[in-house]
Amino acid sequence: METNLLGTKTITQIGILVHDIEKTSQAYADFFGVDKPQWIITGPVEEARTEYRGQRTEGRAKLAFFDMGSLQLELIEPDQEPSVWRECLDKDGEGVHHIAFAIEGMKEKVMVLERSGMPLLQKGEYTGGRYAYMDTLKDLKVMIELLENDKPHA
């Protein structure tokens, strides 16, 4: 039996690309009978240290999160700057962008996936952690996002 490349099988998030985060988050709120979350915007490149296809990018996105029990639904409305979000929205339109897994050891996991033919597309930092989008489309038919949260200091 092969080893689990990520060290987990638990999907923590599904990300969906949208053109209009206000309209789509309201539609989800109405559908599930919950409050519409306030969207946030990803940090500027100086803070987020965003890299897309190996290059620093100003690309940012509005994000809205719905907590759905053990799974989080993330709506993503990218700006016009280069990013994996913008590229996918322009190429494929609205819809599922990624499934995410909470992992430990980001650098090692990225290297393991890259050695398996699944290259890093975009990475960046957020308050309390970091993310990486891996190009798993050929094999898995969906992009994988790795999320690593910093451990709280004891």
Side-chain angles (χ1 to χ4, degrees):
M1 172 124 172
E2 294 275 327
T3 54
N4 181 331
L5 293 180
L6 298 180
T8 181
K9 299 186 307 266
T10 305
I11 297 172
T12 57
Q13 182 189 81
I14 297 174
I16 299 173
L17 285 170
V18 302
H19 288 296
D20 183 341
I21 203 161
E22 279 293 323
K23 188 172 145 197
T24 308
S25 57
Q26 187 62 60
Y28 269 98
D30 292 347
F31 185 82
F32 288 112
V34 298
D35 291 335
K36 182 177 75 147
Q38 286 297 309
W39 56 264
I40 59 168
I41 192 155
T42 59
V45 66
E46 301 77 31
E47 182 185 301
R49 298 205 290 273
T50 312
E51 287 184 22
Y52 169 59
R53 297 192 179 274
Q55 302 292 314
R56 183 179 157 106
T57 180
E58 300 284 337
R60 296 174 78 180
K62 294 176 186 172
L63 309 175
F65 298 97
F66 288 88
D67 289 316
M68 313 295 289
S70 63
L71 192 71
Q72 185 181 64
L73 190 64
E74 177 186 32
L75 303 181
I76 308 161
E77 179 192 321
D79 66 11
Q80 295 300 321
E81 297 295 327
S83 70
V84 71
W85 308 303
R86 184 80 259 158
E87 177 185 311
C88 291
L89 189 58
D90 288 348
K91 191 172 106 219
D92 302 318
E94 295 179 297
V96 173
H97 175 255
H98 68 264
I99 57 176
F101 298 86
I103 55 104
E104 290 181 15
M106 179 67 80
K107 283 190 174 101
E108 297 78 18
K109 296 290 193 265
V110 167
M111 286 183 355
V112 164
L113 291 177
E114 287 195 315
R115 281 197 301 267
S116 299
M118 301 170 187
L120 174 67
L121 288 176
Q122 181 170 310
K123 67 177 182 172
E125 308 276 325
Y126 54 83
T127 304
R130 64 214 46 82
Y131 73 90
Y133 289 111
M134 307 304 294
D135 187 356
T136 54
L137 283 166
K138 184 170 67 75
D139 294 323
L140 304 181
K141 312 308 175 204
V142 69
M143 196 175 307
I144 296 286
E145 181 184 27
L146 306 178
L147 297 169
E148 182 179 49
N149 292 317
D150 296 329
K151 295 205 181 334
H153 298 294

